[in-house]
Amino acid sequence: MLKRPKVVLSAGVTVALTASALVTGCGNASGGSNSSSGASGTSGKSSITIWDIQTGASQKVVQDMSNDFNKSHPDIQSTVQFFENDPYKQKIQIAMGAHNPPDIFTGWGGGVLKSYIDAGDVYDLTSDLKADPSWANRFLPSVMKPVTFDGKIYGVPNDNVQPVMMFYNKQVFQQYHLTPPKTWDDLLNDVKVFKAHGIAPISLGGKDQWPDLMYEEYLVDRIGGPQVFNNVLAGKKNAWSDPAFLKANTMIQQLVNAGAFEQGFSSVSSNQGEDAALLYTGKAAMELMGSWGFATILSDDKSFIDQGNLGFMTFPTVPGGKGNPNDIVGNPSNYYSISNDSKNKKAAVTFLKDAVLNDQNVKEWISIGDVPPVQGIESELKQATYGDYLSFTYDMVKDAPNFQASWDQALPPSEAQELLTDLSKLFLNQMTPQQFSDDMNQHMQS
């Protein structure tokens, strides 16, 4: 799976976070629910263990949430254990297989969660949510798709939304008397003008491969709508041969051949912030990036944002496309799910209901510059530091008919890796759109 900052932690945007979006978390190697939680202790308390991967300021928000819950629920003792991102993925997989998981575990929904569900390892929250409409209606509907399978819900959001958007350098646009592109033709025109003046039209961290995916996700949706990728997820035969894939990949190569990306983009690292640096230094005009890109720039060049030089917009529309222009892609949230092996499911449900994204928890997430996927927080976001950006992000998610989770998370790991590899070849003109579709069909998992 790809490694992007949002997976390591939430992309907070306050000055206090500075470089925390790139650090790793604290490790704790203690066991899961059957060893450290599960049965009630001698005090009569139910004990639940939560595994999480947050770091920095985000980790403190989670720890405060647990502490507050313990104070208000004297009959339940919650304990959070924090792990680094990549070791966590292996640890939770082993714990699930050994039937020794924590009571509550963090994840990203999609294909990985589905594999645990299929193995009978995840508790179905549907009846609990239906029994408490105020809880069920707490979350923005667009973020629930990655944890909903066959009409059943297996997790709840636990931190912030991270849609992909187009960032742009206002100074560069003003210098060449251009306006941010609203349509694909506008984008091609801007590319032509910036290219002619020696400015990289779009910054792309192609070395890490995952930034390529965002173009594919948006173009396929704009052209064919959500059903095109849903057919892939459903294992429909030859789903990758849908005309929307062929057209999207032709358009991607159109961008490449027009010189839309910086020279040598395949050696530029997004994980190291090199693509963002091209934007805020004026060497590039635009960057397609997840909302965590704001935190990267704020950390590296706060004055660029404070002086009002960073713009943000939705991905351009594609004339004649079937997709709704309000559809978005990205990372809807991280999620908490309950293990079926937990001996205290009732206490775990209480924790999810009473602690996760409650009013106080939401305030703390906003205080570090995050946007929780919760209904009715518009005024709080507007009044926060960088409220214009936070409100823009929230409105993108709130108004989205479809919020597609990143394909490399939605797909099984092996198919996701092949996708990233093939897209890299496509961007380098080492593979044609037809070859891309043919190869992905061969690697498709039903």
Side-chain angles (χ1 to χ4, degrees):
M1 298 290 284
L2 66 137
K3 302 175 182 68
R4 59 168 70 108
K6 78 92 208 171
V7 175
V8 179
L9 78 163
S10 64
V13 299
T14 57
V15 180
L17 278 180
T18 60
S20 69
L22 300 176
V23 301
T24 53
C26 304
N28 186 325
S30 57
S33 64
N34 292 340
S35 58
S36 62
S37 62
S40 299
T42 55
S43 64
K45 286 187 177 183
S46 296
S47 297
I48 56 172
T49 299
I50 302 103
W51 283 7
D52 206 308
I53 58 168
Q54 301 287 5
T55 64
S58 302
Q59 185 178 114
K60 184 179 184 301
V61 171
V62 173
Q63 190 60 64
D64 287 347
M65 174 183 65
S66 173
N67 294 341
D68 291 345
F69 176 82
N70 292 342
K71 291 177 184 177
S72 61
H73 294 73
D75 57 334
I76 304 175
Q77 178 66 35
S78 68
T79 303
V80 187
Q81 299 172 5
F82 294 98
F83 303 90
E84 293 182 10
N85 178 68
D86 286 340
Y88 168 78
K89 293 177 182 177
Q90 183 177 16
K91 186 174 180 66
I92 189 63
Q93 184 177 14
I94 293 172
M96 285 292 192
H99 295 285
N100 188 35
D103 299 281
I104 297 172
F105 64 96
T106 197
W108 305 274
V112 174
L113 179 63
K114 183 63 162 55
S115 69
Y116 295 144
I117 294 169
D118 290 344
D121 295 331
V122 187
Y123 176 70
D124 180 0
L125 287 166
T126 310
S127 60
D128 298 287
L129 286 161
K130 285 184 176 179
D132 189 343
S134 64
W135 181 30
N137 295 328
R138 181 181 305 171
F139 314 108
L140 295 176
S142 63
V143 305
M144 298 303 294
K145 181 179 176 181
V147 290
T148 304
F149 301 93
D150 297 324
K152 298 179 180 179
I153 302 172
Y154 293 89
V156 295
N158 66 9
D159 57 5
N160 63 313
V161 298
Q162 296 157 341
V164 171
M165 64 188 74
M166 188 75 85
F167 292 100
Y168 64 96
N169 186 316
K170 291 182 179 180
Q171 287 179 309
V172 175
F173 269 84
Q174 291 169 0
Q175 182 178 354
Y176 297 106
H177 309 290
L178 295 174
T179 56
K182 294 182 178 180
T183 68
W184 183 256
D185 288 341
D186 292 341
L187 179 63
L188 292 177
N189 179 70
D190 289 350
V191 164
K192 183 178 180 180
V193 174
F194 286 127
K195 181 71 175 174
H197 289 88
I199 303 293
I202 308 173
S203 176
L204 176 64
K207 179 179 179 180
D208 304 313
Q209 295 187 332
W210 59 262
D212 300 344
L213 180 58
M214 295 183 285
Y215 290 88
E216 179 84 353
E217 292 167 338
Y218 262 127
L219 283 171
V220 169
D221 185 88
R222 291 286 190 267
I223 295 165
Q227 189 58 44
V228 177
F229 184 65
N230 287 341
N231 290 338
V232 171
L233 291 178
K236 184 178 179 181
K237 186 177 180 180
N238 295 324
W240 287 100
S241 293
D242 189 287
F245 286 113
L246 294 167
K247 183 174 181 180
N249 289 333
T250 299
M251 293 169 72
I252 285 173
Q253 292 191 330
Q254 181 185 19
L255 272 184
V256 172
N257 296 334
F261 307 112
E262 75 275 12
Q263 188 173 3
F265 64 83
S266 64
S267 62
V268 173
S269 174
S270 189
N271 290 345
Q272 301 301 318
E274 294 171 354
D275 50 356
L278 292 174
L279 183 70
Y280 61 72
T281 59
K283 296 178 181 178
M286 293 172 278
E287 180 192 23
L288 185 64
M289 186 51 57
S291 59
W292 58 89
F294 188 96
T296 300
I297 297 174
L298 188 65
S299 171
D300 294 347
D301 190 352
K302 179 176 178 290
S303 63
F304 180 76
I305 292 177
D306 287 346
Q307 292 171 9
N309 295 325
L310 181 65
F312 30 87
M313 59 186 175
T314 57
F315 190 82
T317 62
V318 175
K322 297 179 182 178
N324 190 310
N326 290 322
D327 283 352
I328 57 176
V329 305
N331 306 298
S333 183
N334 287 358
Y335 299 88
Y336 279 148
S337 298
I338 296 175
S339 308
N340 250 341
D341 286 308
S342 169
K343 297 186 186 302
N344 272 324
K345 294 186 184 69
K346 184 177 179 180
V349 169
T350 300
F351 182 87
L352 296 188
K353 183 190 302 184
D354 293 354
V356 179
L357 294 182
N358 65 15
D359 291 347
Q360 179 59 33
N361 188 231
V362 165
K363 290 181 185 300
E364 292 200 32
W365 283 120
I366 294 175
S367 76
I368 66 167
D370 281 342
V371 180
V374 173
Q375 302 267 21
I377 58 173
E378 289 88 344
S379 62
E380 292 181 69
L381 293 170
K382 186 176 181 180
Q383 296 168 13
T385 306
Y386 306 114
D388 57 343
Y389 166 74
L390 299 180
S391 296
F392 176 82
T393 302
Y394 182 81
D395 289 343
M396 279 186 73
V397 177
K398 183 184 69 171
D399 297 337
N402 187 67
F403 190 165
Q404 175 57 57
S406 297
W407 291 2
D408 58 337
Q409 293 178 13
L411 291 170
S414 61
E415 190 176 351
Q417 185 53 59
E418 189 65 27
L419 170 62
L420 295 178
T421 300
D422 283 0
L423 275 176
S424 182
K425 293 178 181 179
L426 186 87
F427 271 77
L428 292 171
N429 280 313
Q430 296 173 355
M431 177 177 273
T432 67
Q434 187 62 57
Q435 289 171 332
F436 173 94
S437 291
D438 291 344
D439 189 65
M440 287 308 302
N441 281 330
Q442 292 181 11
H443 287 86
M444 193 170 169
Q445 298 184 26
S446 59

